[in-house]
Amino acid sequence: MRRLSVMQHYEIPTRLLDRTTNFWTAIYFACASDPGANAELWYYDRVIFQKQRERDNSLHAFVDRSSDPALEPAFRHRRDENLLVEIDPQISLRMRQQSAHHTASTGVFSDHAPALIALQNEIGVTEPARRLVHRVIIDGACKSKALQFLAEPPLKITASTIFPDVVGLGRFLRWQFDTLRTMLLGCLTPPTAPPPPATPSTASPARPAIPQAARES
């Protein structure tokens, strides 16, 4: 899993899903692409996985940041459990710069959101006021404003600040282009005017049809 974590950050496809503990970095990734389209941002309280690791001590190896980590437990063979775990070795510069970690599922095509909600229910949190998993929808029309806000001091979150290494240069250029395109389209697209009010009709109502038998009588 540690190798997959590094591969994920260097554009090699894996089954891992990127996460970050930095709220503003998450907003950047949600807004920097697909201009005009709504973005979906999921966030969760990491106590969910802390409770999970308390029940299964072997999972601590996935978040071991030491130079000599413990042996990882068998993971891929537990597909029947639909297990979702947190991966957080922090072993690359980019991961540390982005405050990044991952979630991984034993299912190849598993949706992580239902698995997170299932974990929340397992630790006994069901009341809406204490929900540990949340979803936020960001309107596509707000993306350009969000990116402008992130780029300004004191945050200064841009592609150049979250992709610090040489290998990330290509990804930086791609994300920077998407960011500029989103900001430009957000400035050039005029607001949609509301439809004009309907004009009431002054025509006389149509007369009811006279049956054939009545016209002949």
Side-chain angles (χ1 to χ4, degrees):
M1 282 298 174
R2 293 170 67 87
R3 294 192 183 111
L4 288 179
S5 177
V6 175
M7 291 165 60
Q8 175 80 2
H9 279 278
Y10 290 101
E11 300 295 320
I12 301 175
T14 73
R15 68 175 63 183
L16 306 185
L17 186 63
D18 289 328
R19 307 281 185 178
T20 177
T21 55
N22 187 305
F23 175 77
W24 300 115
T25 299
I27 294 294
Y28 175 84
F29 280 111
C31 294
S33 60
D34 296 327
N38 291 349
E40 187 172 326
L41 180 66
W42 285 84
Y43 63 99
Y44 65 90
D45 192 322
R46 300 185 75 179
V47 71
I48 294 176
F49 291 101
Q50 292 174 10
K51 296 291 185 181
Q52 180 193 51
R53 291 190 290 269
E54 289 175 3
R55 298 196 307 266
D56 187 346
N57 288 329
S58 66
L59 300 181
H60 281 283
F62 292 136
V63 295
D64 190 344
R65 300 181 182 182
S66 66
S67 58
D68 186 20
L71 183 66
E72 294 180 358
F75 182 71
R76 290 178 297 175
H77 306 293
R78 301 172 67 173
R79 292 180 181 175
D80 55 332
E81 301 179 39
N82 195 24
L83 183 65
L84 185 73
V85 299
E86 206 172 41
I87 313 295
D88 190 13
Q90 293 287 310
I91 54 179
S92 72
L93 174 61
R94 195 183 301 178
M95 289 188 71
R96 293 190 291 271
Q97 186 74 14
Q98 298 174 4
S99 303
H101 60 284
H102 313 285
T103 52
S105 172
T106 53
V108 178
F109 302 107
S110 177
D111 187 346
H112 289 203
L116 277 171
I117 295 172
L119 276 175
Q120 170 188 259
N121 296 335
E122 284 180 19
I123 66 175
V125 178
T126 56
E127 300 85 354
R130 296 183 56 220
R131 288 289 168 87
L132 304 180
V133 181
H134 302 270
R135 183 181 69 158
V136 174
I137 301 298
I138 302 174
D139 193 296
C142 299
K143 284 183 173 181
S144 61
K145 294 180 181 178
L147 292 171
Q148 291 172 5
F149 172 78
L150 294 173
E152 295 174 355
L155 295 175
K156 294 184 178 180
I157 295 179
T158 64
S160 61
T161 60
I162 61 178
F163 295 113
D165 50 6
V166 175
V167 179
L169 178 60
R171 191 170 182 181
F172 153 66
L173 294 174
R174 188 192 70 193
W175 278 94
Q176 189 71 2
F177 172 76
D178 288 341
T179 300
L180 294 174
R181 182 180 60 168
T182 301
M183 295 171 68
L184 181 62
L185 290 178
C187 294
L188 296 181
T189 304
T192 304
T199 304
S201 175
T202 57
S204 301
R207 294 181 178 180
I210 302 175
Q212 182 70 24
R215 290 203 300 266
E216 293 175 353
S217 59

